[in-house]
Amino acid sequence: MMSSGFVVFRAGVALVLMCSFYRSTEDPLPELSPQQYFSTLQPGKASLAYFCQVGSLSNSVFLEELKEAIRPLQDYGISVSKVNCVEEEASRYCGKEEGVMKAYLFRGHILLREFPTDTLFDVNAIVAHVLFTLLFNEVKYVTTLEDLHSIENSLKGKANMIFSYVEAIGTPEHRAVMEAAFVYGTSYQFALTTEIALLENIGSENTGRAHLYFLHCELASDLTESCRTTRMEQPLTTLNIHVFIKTMKAPLVMEVAEDPQQVSIIHLQLGLPLVFIISQQATYEADRRTAEWVAWRLLGKAGVLLLSRDSVDVDIPQHANVAFRRAEKEAPVEFLVLNDVDLIVSHVKSNMYIEETQEDEDGDEEGPDLAIQDDEVAETVYRDRKRPLPLELTVELTQETFNSTVTTSDSLVLFYATWHAVSMAFLQSYIDVAIKLKGTSTILLTRINCADWSDVCAKQNVTAFPAVKLYKEGESPVSYEGMLGTKDLLKFVQLNRISCPVNIASIQEAEKYLRGELYKDLFSFPSVSVLGLFSPAMASAEEHFREAGKRLRGSIITGVYSEDDVWILSNKYAAPLPAMLLARPREGGIESVPLATAPVQEMVRILANAPLEAFPEITVETLPAYLRLQRPLLMLFSDGSIDPQYRNAALALVRQKQLEPFTPCWLNLKNTPVGRGILKVYFGHLPPLPQLLLVNLHSGGQVYAFPSVQSITEQSLMLWLKKLEAGLENPITIISDQAWKPPLPAFDFLSMMDAPAAQASAKKGAECMEAAEVQASAEQPRGGGPAPRREPPETLRVKHWNRSIAPREAGEPSRPHKEL
C-alpha cells in the first residue's frame, strides 16, 4: 500500500537552491557552481535547483524565506544550498533572465518538478511543496467523492485513513498535514483535497477553514459499511495533529482497578481529561457498552476508562456512576451522578471549554462573567469573538452607498447590529453562504450595521435583527423568513436565481420539470415541484396562482403551463382545469389539487405546505413547519433508523387518507438527542424504544402511548386510534398549557430607549426653549460653517450603547428612537 520510495526518501534528501548572485557573510546557504552542484547529487536524495547568471538581480525576499526554512528542513534530513551560474560552466538550467523565477526539484539526477518561486512564497509554502512532491505516492490527492470512496473501500478491514481539506497548497495547514504524513505515512494512508465541494459532500457544517478527519476503515469488515469518521476539532497545527493521531492510536476504553487520582495514561500526558465509568460485576456488560458509547463521542477529546468499584480501594460515593479528572496536575477527581451519555459528554465538553476560556482570558482586565449568562447565543458569540471572519467576501453598505447598490444590482442585504448576539451568530452563517457562492452567483451579498445606520434600516422597515432582504431591479424587496442557518439561507438565494413562476414552454419541458430535472444542474434543494395548469382562457385563475408563487418566492419553485395542449397533462394526471400538480420526485408521486374556487390566500397555504413530507423525520429545524398544521403529532421515537415495518404501515395509511387528522412523523434520538428529555417528561423515565405516541399539543395537551407489547401494523394502529377517538384510552400525561417563557426576565430595550425621550418631551416652557438654545449653540461650529454630522464608524461603535438608551448628544435633537 505504502510506496517503498518513502523509505528511500527518509534515508536522506538534499534541497539545493541555485539562485542569483547574493553575497552575505551571514548566509548559511553554501554557494556552489553548476559543476560542484551536480557532483553532489546522490541517488535517493532530492535537490531543488535555481540557476541564474552571476550579476543578475538578487531575489533577496525569496532567499530570506529560504534561510528561515533551513532549520525545519534539516529536521527532516533535508539540506539546503544555492548555486551561481558562471560563463565557464554552461548548463541548460542557466537560462536567460526570464527564467530566474523557476526552481527545479531533482531526486538524484532525475528532474521531479519545477516550481515558479512565487509558489514558494514563505517558509510554510517551501516545506509544504517539497514534502508534498516527495511524498506524492504516500499522500493521495483527491478531487471527487468517487476518488475518496475508492481509497476508502481499498482500506476497509486493512488500515485507517487520515483525510484532510486545506484551502490551498502551501498554506500553514497544508504544511502541518505534510509533516504529519512524513512521520505517520507508513502507519496510515493520507488523502488530501483542496476542493471545497468535496468537503460539503461529506457533511461538514463549516467549510470556511481547514479540516482533518480520521477514518476508522480497519474496523469496517463489510465493503457496504462506511468507515466510521472522527473529525479533529482543533485548528490544523503540527502539534494538534500529533496529539489527535496519538489519541486515535490509544485503546478506545481501558479498564483500571486503581485510585483514579493515580492513573496516568496517554490522554493525560497529552493534556486531555479522563472520564471513568464506574462499574460493578453485576452490570459489567452494560457498563462496558456505555463506556464505549462515551468513548466514541469523546474520541480525541478525552480518555475513557472503566473503573471497577469492586476491586479498587477507594471510597466511591454509593450513587456515583461517573468520575471526572481534569488534565491539570494534582486536579482532584470529581464523582458525579450522570445517568445519560449526553449528560456525560456535555459535562466533559463544558469543563474543557471553561479551561480554554480561562487560559484565553488571563490577559483580559475585564469582561462579562460567562458563568452567569443565561443566553447560550450570547455566550457563543462571546466565546468566538476573537475568531476572524472573512468579511471581505461581502460588501459593507452605508447610508451613502445603500440606495445606489440595491438599485443597480441584484443584492442580498443583511441588516444586523454588532451589539445583538443573534445578529453576530447569524453573521457566521451569512459569511458561510458567501464562501459557498463565491464566483458562482450573480447576486451581490451585502450587509449594513444598523447600530451605525439606524435611519437606513428604519426606512427599509427593519424592526428586528437579524433581517435579510433580496433586492431586484423593478421588484419589491423579498424578505427571508427561514431558519437562521447556512443551509436554508443558501436555498433562499439559489431559488431566487430563477424566475418566479417558471414559464413552461412545452409538454416535454413540463414532464422534465415534474421529475425535478429542469434545474438539477443548478441546485438540489427542492423536494417538490409545483406546476399550475391553466387553459389560455383562465387568465384570472392563472394570475392568482402567479401572485401566490411570488409571495413564497425563495421558499418554493412554482411553474405555469397554459398552452393550448395543456389538456394532455390534465387528462394524464386526472386534474380538471384549473389545477395544480404537486410532484415529489424523491417519493415518486404526483398529486393534483383543484383550483377552481381557490383564492390567492388559499393557494399560498397550499403552496407553503407542498414541501412538507408525508412521513417526515422531526428535527429542531423542521418541527415549526409541522406544528403550523395544528394537528396532533403521531410520532415514533426511535434510537436510530426507523423500523421499515412501521414506515410502510404509516405510508400505507397516509395513501388511504386514514391519517388526515394527524401528522404522522418520527424522531431519531441519535440525530435529535433532546427527544430523550421529552420522553422523560412524558413518562418520568426513559421508556424502551421504539415508542409510538400521539401528542395533542394544540387542544388539551394529552399524550397517549401505543401499547409497547403490540406490534405496529396497519390494523393495530387504526384500532388504537379508534379507541382514542371513542375515549377508551387514558393519557399517560397532560402537557401544561402554561406559556413558555425565558428562564430570566428580559430587558425591554424599546422602553428604555423611549423613556429618556418621553421625559424630555414632558418638559415645558422655559426648559424647552433653553434646550433649543443649547442645541442651536452646539450646532454652530467655529467659523460659522455647517457642523459635521457623521462620526467615524469606530466612534459610533463605542457609543452605540449610550446612544440606544439616552437622547443623542447636543449635536442632534432629542427625539424618540422609533427605528429599532
Side-chain angles (χ1 to χ4, degrees):
M1 182 190 307
M2 306 298 173
S3 171
S4 59
F6 183 82
V7 179
V8 175
F9 166 65
R10 293 292 299 272
V13 180
L15 175 66
V16 181
L17 177 70
M18 296 189 170
C19 59
S20 58
F21 189 70
Y22 180 78
R23 298 186 180 277
S24 173
T25 56
E26 300 177 356
D27 190 351
L29 296 174
E31 296 188 15
L32 304 174
S33 67
Q35 183 178 0
Q36 291 172 329
Y37 163 65
F38 285 112
S39 67
T40 63
L41 297 181
Q42 300 178 22
K45 290 192 175 183
S47 61
L48 185 66
Y50 176 38
F51 288 81
C52 60
Q53 302 296 332
V54 174
S56 62
L57 295 177
S58 172
N59 195 346
S60 59
V61 175
F62 175 67
L63 289 174
E64 288 299 324
E65 293 297 330
L66 186 65
K67 289 180 187 178
E68 296 296 325
I70 291 175
R71 185 174 297 276
L73 290 173
Q74 286 178 342
D75 291 340
Y76 296 104
I78 302 171
S79 62
V80 182
S81 300
K82 65 176 181 178
V83 174
N84 298 315
C85 288
V86 293
E87 293 183 2
E88 300 82 32
E89 299 181 15
S91 172
R92 62 191 180 99
Y93 300 105
C94 292
K96 299 181 180 180
E97 188 66 23
E98 57 266 24
V100 300
M101 300 305 290
K102 284 285 185 72
Y104 302 89
L105 180 65
F106 296 86
R107 175 177 281 138
H109 287 81
I110 300 173
L111 176 64
L112 296 180
R113 187 178 176 185
E114 61 180 45
F115 301 101
T117 54
D118 57 2
T119 64
L120 310 178
F121 45 84
D122 63 7
V123 177
N124 295 316
I126 293 172
V127 176
H129 274 287
V130 170
L131 293 182
F132 194 31
T133 302
L134 295 173
L135 296 176
F136 181 79
N137 292 324
E138 285 70 40
V139 181
K140 305 296 184 183
Y141 181 78
V142 296
T143 58
T144 65
L145 197 60
E146 290 73 17
D147 293 341
L148 182 62
H149 288 166
S150 176
I151 299 174
E152 181 181 343
N153 290 334
S154 68
L155 296 174
K156 288 178 180 177
K158 303 175 183 177
N160 298 320
M161 177 167 63
I162 296 174
F163 170 66
S164 57
Y165 159 79
V166 296
E167 295 179 270
I169 302 299
T171 59
E173 293 82 7
H174 180 221
R175 172 186 171 179
V177 172
M178 297 312 305
E179 289 181 324
F182 186 92
V183 177
Y184 299 104
T186 55
S187 302
Y188 306 102
Q189 175 64 67
F190 279 75
L192 177 79
T193 188
T194 57
E195 300 292 335
I196 194 169
L198 182 57
L199 193 65
E200 295 169 358
N201 288 332
I202 63 175
S204 177
E205 297 178 357
N206 183 356
T207 56
R209 61 182 181 86
H211 287 285
L212 186 139
Y213 302 85
F214 190 96
L215 278 68
H216 306 266
C217 297
E218 196 172 10
L219 301 177
S221 55
D222 188 351
L223 288 178
T224 61
E225 177 186 1
S226 298
C227 297
R228 193 161 191 163
T229 303
T230 302
R231 195 184 88 178
M232 175 180 160
E233 297 184 357
Q234 293 77 21
L236 263 63
T237 66
T238 302
L239 180 59
N240 285 343
I241 296 176
H242 169 74
V243 170
F244 180 73
I245 295 177
K246 284 289 186 182
T247 59
M248 296 300 105
K249 295 175 63 177
L252 185 63
V253 176
M254 296 181 63
E255 297 188 25
V256 294
E258 58 182 301
D259 186 349
Q261 195 70 54
Q262 306 301 322
V263 171
S264 178
I265 62 174
I266 184 65
H267 299 82
L268 206 62
Q269 299 164 11
L270 294 173
L272 301 177
L274 301 182
V275 178
F276 299 84
I277 304 300
I278 300 174
S279 175
Q280 51 191 2
Q281 186 173 0
T283 60
Y284 172 80
E285 292 298 333
D287 295 333
R288 176 78 188 188
R289 288 195 298 271
T290 300
E292 290 176 352
W293 290 341
V294 173
W296 278 115
R297 294 279 298 276
L298 293 176
L299 196 58
K301 305 178 185 70
V304 178
L305 304 97
L306 195 63
L307 176 64
S308 174
R309 183 191 294 270
D310 303 325
S311 58
V312 63
D313 188 19
V314 177
D315 185 16
I316 300 177
Q318 184 64 31
H319 298 291
N321 62 344
V322 175
F324 179 72
R325 179 181 168 190
R326 297 176 185 272
E328 296 95 331
K329 188 176 182 180
E330 305 300 332
V333 176
E334 301 177 62
F335 291 97
L336 309 165
V337 180
L338 300 172
N339 295 319
D340 191 285
V341 171
D342 293 328
L343 293 176
I344 299 174
V345 173
S346 176
H347 179 82
V348 174
K349 289 185 176 180
S350 62
N351 278 274
M352 291 176 65
Y353 160 67
I354 291 173
E355 293 168 7
E356 293 170 1
T357 300
Q358 289 174 346
E359 179 182 354
D360 183 54
E361 299 302 319
D362 283 343
D364 289 353
E365 296 180 0
E366 59 182 19
D369 184 359
L370 295 183
I372 62 174
Q373 290 200 42
D374 66 299
D375 189 336
E376 294 184 5
V377 176
E379 182 174 307
T380 301
V381 172
Y382 180 81
R383 183 183 66 223
D384 294 343
R385 72 197 187 284
K386 294 184 178 180
R387 179 184 174 187
L389 290 176
L391 297 177
E392 66 277 1
L393 295 178
T394 60
V395 178
E396 184 174 10
L397 301 180
T398 66
Q399 185 174 9
E400 291 75 20
T401 62
F402 183 87
N403 288 333
S404 61
T405 301
V406 301
T407 55
T408 58
S409 62
D410 293 346
S411 304
L412 191 72
V413 183
L414 168 64
F415 299 87
Y416 71 107
T418 49
W419 52 265
H420 185 245
V422 178
S423 287
M424 299 310 294
F426 181 58
L427 182 59
Q428 171 65 67
S429 297
Y430 194 74
I431 296 299
D432 288 343
V433 170
I435 293 172
K436 293 178 182 293
L437 294 177
K438 184 179 180 181
T440 63
S441 176
T442 58
I443 296 177
L444 181 67
L445 268 68
T446 68
R447 55 190 166 84
I448 183 166
N449 183 1
C450 294
D452 290 342
W453 308 101
S454 56
D455 291 342
V456 177
C457 300
K459 290 178 181 178
Q460 299 302 316
N461 198 29
V462 174
T463 57
F465 306 126
V468 176
K469 293 189 177 187
L470 179 67
Y471 294 80
K472 286 194 171 185
E473 185 178 358
E475 301 180 10
S476 300
V478 179
S479 296
Y480 172 67
E481 298 179 354
M483 297 288 291
L484 297 181
T486 303
K487 181 180 178 181
D488 286 346
L489 180 59
L490 184 61
K491 172 184 175 181
F492 174 79
V493 176
Q494 296 285 53
L495 291 183
N496 273 287
R497 293 173 62 183
I498 62 175
S499 59
C500 181
V502 179
N503 294 311
I504 304 299
S506 66
I507 294 292
Q508 293 75 16
E509 189 177 5
E511 295 285 7
K512 189 176 181 181
Y513 173 85
L514 291 172
R515 293 194 298 269
E517 299 174 357
L518 194 58
Y519 296 100
K520 192 174 182 180
D521 57 333
L522 181 61
F523 45 72
S524 58
F525 291 120
S527 58
V528 60
S529 299
V530 181
L531 180 63
L533 303 179
F534 307 92
S535 69
M538 299 175 178
S540 178
E542 180 180 341
E543 184 59 31
H544 288 176
F545 181 80
R546 289 181 179 274
E547 177 61 27
K550 289 179 180 178
R551 293 188 187 183
L552 294 173
R553 182 169 189 164
S555 60
I556 188 173
I557 296 181
T558 55
V560 172
Y561 189 66
S562 56
E563 301 297 326
D564 292 334
D565 58 355
V566 68
W567 58 269
I568 297 177
L569 293 174
S570 175
N571 292 339
K572 179 177 181 179
Y573 297 106
L577 302 178
M580 176 168 56
L581 298 181
L582 304 180
R584 293 180 171 85
R586 295 176 185 174
E587 301 173 12
I590 296 180
E591 175 187 357
S592 64
V593 178
L595 297 177
T597 59
V600 173
Q601 195 57 39
E602 177 63 14
M603 288 188 185
V604 170
R605 185 192 66 80
I606 296 173
L607 288 174
N609 293 336
L612 302 183
E613 299 179 27
F615 184 57
E617 177 185 354
I618 293 297
T619 64
V620 174
E621 293 79 12
T622 62
L623 179 60
Y626 293 97
L627 288 180
R628 189 176 64 235
L629 301 176
Q630 297 283 309
R631 300 173 186 167
L633 300 177
L634 188 61
M635 183 182 297
L636 181 74
F637 290 78
S638 176
D639 190 19
S641 300
I642 192 172
D643 186 348
Q645 177 182 349
Y646 177 69
R647 178 188 292 276
N648 295 335
L651 288 175
L653 293 175
V654 168
R655 286 192 293 269
Q656 299 167 20
K657 301 188 182 298
Q658 297 291 329
L659 300 181
E660 284 191 339
F662 312 102
T663 298
C665 54
W666 67 291
L667 190 147
N668 186 344
L669 297 183
K670 290 186 177 180
N671 295 339
T672 312
V674 71
R676 299 181 185 274
I678 295 173
L679 287 176
K680 289 179 181 178
V681 171
Y682 292 164
F683 288 89
H685 62 278
L686 188 63
L689 298 175
Q691 181 67 55
L692 177 63
L693 299 176
L694 189 140
V695 185
N696 193 0
L697 290 173
H698 306 288
S699 58
Q702 301 92 344
V703 178
Y704 299 91
F706 185 85
S708 58
V709 296
Q710 294 186 23
S711 176
I712 302 176
T713 64
E714 295 180 42
Q715 294 75 19
S716 62
L717 182 54
M718 286 305 304
L719 180 61
W720 180 62
L721 292 176
K722 289 179 179 178
K723 288 183 178 180
L724 295 182
E725 184 179 4
L728 301 178
E729 293 280 342
N730 295 321
I732 60 172
T733 187
I734 297 179
I735 304 173
S736 172
D737 58 357
Q738 183 179 359
W740 294 354
K741 297 180 179 179
L744 295 177
F747 292 107
D748 188 345
F749 291 107
L750 294 178
S751 297
M752 295 171 65
M753 289 188 289
D754 287 341
Q759 294 172 6
S761 64
K763 297 180 181 181
K764 299 179 181 180
E767 292 178 329
C768 293
M769 183 62 70
E770 181 181 354
E773 292 174 356
V774 171
Q775 175 187 328
S777 175
E779 290 181 348
Q780 183 65 32
R782 297 179 182 178
R789 297 196 53 175
R790 181 74 182 132
E791 297 185 56
E794 293 76 9
T795 305
L796 288 172
R797 291 188 180 97
V798 172
K799 290 183 177 180
H800 73 78
W801 180 253
N802 292 330
R803 185 175 69 227
S804 298
I805 61 174
R808 300 191 180 184
E809 298 176 0
E812 295 186 29
S814 299
R815 59 182 175 83
H817 289 257
K818 299 293 186 183
E819 62 268 17
L820 301 180

